[in-house]
Structures are given as structure tokens and as C-alpha cells.
Amino acid sequence: MSRVDRSYSKYESIRTYEDRGKMKWNPFATAELASAHRDYRSDFNFEEPGFSLEQDDKMTMLSFAKSLQLEITIEYLSEKTNKEVTGTVLDWKDKTGIIFKKQDGHYQEIDLKCIVKLTDKEYFDPYLKQ
């Protein structure tokens, strides 16, 4: 059995640590790990987006909507699900997102990287509405 060189550490406990056969723990970890993987994979649902906007496209469309105070619908990703909200762009949030005024009068911050789709009733191209 070869020893791992831990002479780099300033702590004696790390330099003198010796694993006395971690293999004896594998049967216990394997069942729990396999169960955790099954649970994770059953909850995980990945869907490839049909269309995605580039960061520049999002910025241009949002700037246009903000300048004209257009009512737009934004589809965004939140906690592995797509959500949709309708309203107007009120202001920028540190160039990483927007402050959005919803139809019900409440405000919401939305990160640009989470935005999946932007639509409106007049200006945005129909191919973006999918």
C-alpha cells in the first residue's frame, strides 16, 4: 500500500492521516448513492428549447419595448419551469436584468439570462412567437 505525500500541509493531522481501507465502506455508500441518483433523475426533466434569443437580441427588443412602453409578454425560466408574465419594461437592473411592471401593478425583477421568449401584439417578428 502506497502512502500519499501530504507534506505540503502545515497541519500535522493532515500530514499524518492514513486511510485504513475505505473500501470497507463501499457497500454502504453504493445503495444510498444509487437511490439518490434514481431520485435525481426521476425529478430531472430537460427539454431542448425550440428557439433561443441571443443576449444582444434580448437587449435590443427590451430597449425598444421600454422606449415605446409596449406591453410585452416575457417567457422566462424559473426553477426548471417556464413561466410567463405580461406587462411593461420599467427600467434596467444593473445591465443583468430588467424591472418589469406586471399588468396587476406589481413589480418583478427578471434576469436577462433567464428570458426565453419575448412577444408583443404588433412589432416583434412572428417567428419569435412560436
Side-chain angles (χ1 to χ4, degrees):
M1 182 171 179
S2 64
R3 280 186 63 117
V4 176
D5 180 24
R6 294 189 179 90
S7 59
Y8 62 86
S9 178
K10 65 180 181 179
Y11 301 105
E12 182 182 354
S13 60
I14 292 175
R15 289 192 310 267
T16 59
Y17 174 77
E18 183 179 335
D19 184 2
R20 297 178 305 174
K22 67 177 185 174
M23 292 297 287
K24 66 183 175 186
W25 297 107
N26 277 350
F28 298 105
T30 305
E32 291 173 0
L33 185 61
S35 173
H37 278 288
R38 276 193 304 277
D39 292 344
Y40 174 76
R41 295 211 185 267
S42 68
D43 293 342
F44 186 72
N45 184 13
F46 179 76
E47 294 178 13
E48 188 70 33
F51 181 81
S52 65
L53 292 170
E54 297 293 326
Q55 193 76 2
D56 292 340
D57 295 334
K58 292 177 191 177
M59 294 289 283
T60 302
M61 294 168 80
L62 290 168
S63 295
F64 182 73
K66 180 181 182 295
S67 66
L68 295 179
Q69 285 299 295
L70 292 177
E71 187 173 277
I72 60 173
T73 300
I74 297 177
E75 186 177 324
Y76 63 99
L77 187 64
S78 175
E79 299 174 7
K80 297 182 184 179
T81 60
N82 285 354
K83 295 186 179 180
E84 206 172 85
V85 64
T86 302
T88 56
V89 178
L90 189 65
D91 206 355
W92 298 103
K93 179 187 164 251
D94 303 329
K95 295 196 177 197
T96 61
I98 59 169
I99 300 172
F100 196 70
K101 185 175 182 181
K102 299 189 288 187
Q103 285 178 328
D104 62 5
H106 291 94
Y107 298 92
Q108 180 176 355
E109 293 180 0
I110 303 174
D111 285 335
L112 291 175
K113 63 183 177 191
C114 296
I115 295 175
V116 177
K117 187 173 21 174
L118 296 165
T119 57
D120 82 325
K121 294 179 182 171
E122 291 181 52
Y123 297 99
F124 297 157
D125 292 335
Y127 71 87
L128 297 175
K129 295 181 181 180
Q130 284 190 355

